[in-house]
Amino acid sequence: KYTKFSISYYWINSLDQKTSIHTRSENVAIPSGEENKTATLSYDYRIVPLEDTSSTGTYYCEVKWNDVQKMGKGVFVLARDTGYINTSYGWKILVTLTVLLAVLSITATALLLWKRK
């Protein structure tokens, strides 16, 4: 009963419009002795490339048997024009602070040596 099923991939945009991406049918043979046991099978599908910013939305996977339908939790994808830009300034701040402290240290040492003479 559960050896024949279909897998559907789709996404829902910000306007709650559902767009089908890919559908495939599967017919899985059950080896003898494995009947009445739970089995887990993985099916990967790669969606590339994202067209543009309108590809932003939640992407879902859904499996349908004869009388059963299961849907994944979904994955939200945010598509941007320029791609991901790292906004972390941690390294720049660290280098700036180190250079500033070095300049102050050299200046203080020079002043102390000049005052000593």
Side-chain angles (χ1 to χ4, degrees):
K1 180 178 178 180
Y2 296 106
T3 60
K4 294 180 182 179
F5 54 92
S6 66
I7 304 171
S8 301
Y9 300 92
Y10 62 92
W11 69 285
I12 297 177
N13 64 17
S14 60
L15 302 174
D16 284 335
Q17 296 169 325
K18 182 178 176 178
T19 303
S20 178
I21 299 170
H22 179 73
T23 301
R24 66 196 247 185
S25 296
E26 294 290 331
N27 189 1
V28 178
I30 300 175
S32 62
E34 295 296 316
E35 301 90 350
N36 297 325
K37 290 186 179 179
T38 300
T40 302
L41 302 172
S42 294
Y43 294 92
D44 294 330
Y45 182 74
R46 188 176 297 242
I47 302 168
V48 288
L50 294 176
E51 298 295 326
D52 51 31
T53 56
S54 65
S55 298
T56 294
T58 305
Y59 289 75
Y60 294 93
C61 172
E62 182 178 75
V63 179
K64 293 181 185 177
W65 291 273
N66 292 333
D67 57 346
V68 179
Q69 179 176 329
K70 294 288 183 179
M71 185 174 78
K73 295 177 183 177
V75 174
F76 179 76
V77 175
L78 175 62
R80 294 183 174 181
D81 283 335
T82 57
Y84 178 73
I85 299 172
N86 190 355
T87 57
S88 174
Y89 300 106
W91 286 106
K92 289 181 181 178
I93 291 172
L94 181 64
V95 169
T96 303
L97 186 61
T98 303
V99 169
L100 182 63
L101 289 175
V103 168
L104 288 174
S105 176
I106 292 169
T107 304
T109 304
L111 286 173
L112 285 173
L113 290 174
W114 176 71
K115 200 169 194 180
R116 203 178 221 190
K117 291 181 179 181

